Amino acid sequence: MRGRELRGELDAFLAGTEKDLVAFRRDLHMHPELAFAEYRTTQRIAERLSAVGLVPSVLPRGTGLICDVGSGDGPTIALRADIDALPLQDEKDVSYRSTVPGACHACGHDVHTTILLGTSLFLAQQAAAGLLPGRVRLIFQPAEELPGGALEVMAHGGISGVDRIFGLHCDPRVDVGQIGLKSGPITSACDRLLIRVSGPGGHTARPHLTADLVFALAKILTELPAALSRRVDPRSSLSLVWGRVEAGSAANAIPDDGVAEGTVRCLDENAWHAAPDLIKALLESVAGAYGVEATMEYNRGVPPVVNDEVSVEMLAEAAERALGGSSVVPTQQSLGGEDFAWYLESIPGAFARLGTRSPDNGVTYDIHQGTFDVDEAAIATGVRFMSTTALTALWEGAPIRPVSSLA
Ligand SMILES: [Zn+2]
Ligand SMILES: [Zn+2]
């Protein structure tokens, strides 16, 4: 373990700023902004960073920003927070309830933003004291929920020159003070599939003169998922599940078209990349066997977030340093999606789950619900954890100076 003990410095920092950070989060919570409309949020963050001498660079659309702390030699570590809210109604009865009808920070991105702001202020102090062995890039990313904000950040050079990236997400099923970690995939890919089949219709008395389209569609519906399960590594958990099917209008008439829609979920990145071509080939072969024409629309979601092992070790070390040895808990891969995955397709990094459940009231909220809320002690926990993560990664990544240069 390299570096120094940060707990005392973080205690002193948070004694002076925790209340203010909670107020900042409540202000964001009262004024949620949807994907690519986070103008006020972006301005609030920029004002606070500028006030301590940092130089934020707002993305061209005016939502989201990037800001570097520290400079000089050494590695560059990025920390990312997402800043957008969701298009749903706030159903909570609290003083900081959303003031915008139909918009709510129901995914905790107000908390992520506040944690990264607190971390930025602490790291700015460290940099001013000459204690930052490298550079930290702060990424306040817009539009995670769309998704696509990560691609916007990357298109504007957000991760160029970055050696490693870290992010976190509120987890309402984990107690505040704890950090959920997992190596390898931690979220899933989720895509949408729409297929259309067509062929000559006719009377059900004479199916041989038609393409017997309903029968062919039924074959596709069952054969496609079955064949897929035999063509990909079962560990990838690639699954095609239908949610809608439509064909025909009368009991004795064979229709000439039909559609089916479903989702493709996948835990593995390689299988995700290969999925569209494979599904297309299987669809054509089944449809061909029954003499129907088939086309498909494949709409990409996000790839799975695949955590790099070394980065997860850094997160675990940081959690132990900042929050104590029992703070790390194992977490499972969820079937949800998260656009942080796009960064990890280019550079190593890891994504952690931050406990936000209050052990006192025993309520387990769920994200993407109008009732979602957090134990605000998670903000200080997050600042301790993210600050220590950045410094741990810088210490681990910094070249060890040869003894001669110390003379
Ligand atoms: Zn969300
Ligand atoms: Zn989220």
Side-chain angles (χ1 to χ4, degrees), residues 199-228:
H203 199 287
T204 52
R206 291 174 289 278
H208 57 288
L209 299 180
T210 74
D212 200 356
L213 191 120
V214 174
F215 186 84
L217 181 54
K219 278 291 183 189
I220 290 169
L221 294 178
T222 54
E223 287 296 314
L224 216 55
L228 207 52

Side-chain angles (χ1 to χ4, degrees), residues 82 107-109 112 144-145 169 338 367-368:
D82 39 13
C107 203
H109 298 185
H112 309 161
E144 189 283 323
E145 298 285 359
H169 203 289
E338 159 63 62
I367 54 172
H368 288 216

Side-chain angles (χ1 to χ4, degrees), residues 67-308:
C67 183
D68 282 358
V69 189
S71 57
D73 304 333
T76 298
I77 300 300
L79 302 177
R80 173 272 209 171
D82 39 13
I83 67 173
D84 56 323
L86 279 165
L88 55 87
Q89 192 63 35
D90 192 340
E91 291 165 21
K92 301 186 297 298
D93 182 18
V94 292
S95 61
Y96 49 92
R97 187 169 193 256
S98 169
T99 59
V100 184
C104 178
H105 268 297
C107 203
H109 298 185
D110 54 335
V111 176
H112 309 161
T113 302
T114 305
I115 288 170
L116 187 55
L117 174 68
T119 302
S120 311
L121 303 180
F122 179 74
L123 292 173
Q125 283 186 0
Q126 294 279 307
L131 295 170
L132 217 55
R135 187 162 44 151
V136 179
R137 175 154 309 159
L138 311 160
I139 299 174
F140 290 90
Q141 182 208 301
E144 189 283 323
E145 298 285 359
L146 206 55
L151 296 173
E152 175 87 357
V153 168
M154 290 166 74
H156 295 97
I159 59 166
S160 60
V162 171
D163 297 294
R164 210 173 276 281
I165 185 166
F166 297 97
L168 56 71
H169 203 289
C170 291
D171 188 340
R173 282 176 294 274
V174 174
D175 281 348
V176 66
Q178 296 193 310
I179 304 291
L181 294 181
K182 181 184 182 300
S183 270
I186 184 169
T187 64
S188 302
C190 180
D191 305 332
R192 276 168 171 271
L193 177 67
L194 171 90
I195 63 164
R196 293 177 203 281
V197 291
S198 59
H203 199 287
T204 52
R206 291 174 289 278
H208 57 288
L209 299 180
T210 74
D212 200 356
L213 191 120
V214 174
F215 186 84
L217 181 54
K219 278 291 183 189
I220 290 169
L221 294 178
T222 54
E223 287 296 314
L224 216 55
L228 207 52
S229 73
R230 289 295 165 273
R231 291 286 302 278
V232 296
D233 186 335
R235 288 169 298 181
S236 69
S237 295
L238 181 76
S239 70
L240 164 57
V241 178
W242 303 109
R244 184 174 85 91
V245 56
E246 217 175 280
S249 58
N252 59 355
I254 294 168
D256 53 15
D257 61 11
V259 294
E261 263 190 295
T263 58
V264 178
R265 289 178 191 269
C266 180
L267 308 186
D268 176 76
E269 207 183 359
N270 292 332
W272 179 75
H273 279 291
D277 286 348
L278 180 56
I279 290 172
K280 187 158 188 287
L282 290 172
L283 174 64
E284 279 168 2
S285 88
V286 180
Y290 292 93
V292 294
E293 292 283 320
T295 59
M296 76 172 204
E297 273 173 40
Y298 196 100
N299 291 307
R300 277 287 195 209
V302 291
V305 170
V306 182
N307 278 344
D308 158 63

